[in-house]
């Protein structure tokens, strides 16, 4: 999906003010790709509030993000790459790509 270093902690190397600006731009661009939020493309206040509530998670290939039956407390947005949805038998039942989302709102 999206990554700069394997552990995803690339921002710890830059000053805090720049971290905030980078996260804002990254998250804003992610939201613009998600069809669910495209109806708000003219509502800068709403998008800005939403952007500030996002927390980036970087995953490397073959990482399990969630498991069927887990209690959902988060919504995930695919910013880049693909995620496979695998059933309990190990079969791929769907593939999510850039701009798609899953989880709880």
């Amino acid at each position: 999906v999206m990554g700069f270093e394997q552990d995803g902690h690339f921002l710890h190397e830059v000053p805090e003010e720049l971290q905030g600006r980078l996260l804002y731009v990254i998250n804003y661009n992610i939201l613009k790709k998600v069809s669910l939020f495209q109806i708000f493309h003219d509502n800068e206040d709403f998008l800005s509030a939403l952007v500030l509530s996002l927390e980036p998670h970087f995953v490397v290939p073959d990482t399990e993000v969630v498991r069927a039956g887990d209690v959902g407390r988060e919504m995930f947005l695919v910013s880049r790459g693909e995620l496979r949805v695998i059933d309990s038998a190990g079969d791929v039942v769907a593939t999510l790509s850039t701009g798609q989302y899953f989880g709880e709102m």
Side-chain angles (χ1 to χ4, degrees):
V1 192
M2 197 168 126
F4 294 87
E5 290 183 9
Q6 188 169 2
D7 64 0
H9 294 286
F10 70 99
L11 286 178
H12 294 291
E13 302 298 321
V14 297
E16 277 189 43
E17 183 178 339
L18 184 55
Q19 287 179 26
R21 289 180 185 177
L22 284 170
L23 285 175
Y24 186 89
V25 170
I26 290 168
N27 290 340
Y28 189 84
N29 287 326
I30 291 169
L31 283 183
K32 287 171 50 177
K33 295 177 186 177
V34 177
S35 61
L36 177 67
F37 302 115
Q38 288 178 353
I39 61 171
F40 300 106
H41 73 277
D42 288 333
N43 190 334
E44 293 289 326
D45 292 335
F46 173 79
L47 290 177
S48 292
L50 195 54
V51 161
L52 295 174
S53 70
L54 295 177
E55 293 181 26
H57 293 272
F58 303 93
V59 291
V60 295
D62 299 320
T63 300
E64 185 176 278
V65 178
V66 294
R67 181 180 294 259
D70 286 352
V71 175
R73 294 189 178 101
E74 299 174 298
M75 178 180 183
F76 295 89
L77 310 174
V78 180
S79 64
R80 192 170 74 188
E82 293 184 340
L83 293 170
R84 292 175 300 195
V85 179
I86 302 172
D87 66 14
S88 59
D91 298 321
V92 176
V93 295
T95 301
L96 304 177
S97 58
T98 302
Q100 293 185 296
Y101 55 92
F102 64 98
E104 306 294 325
M105 289 200 335

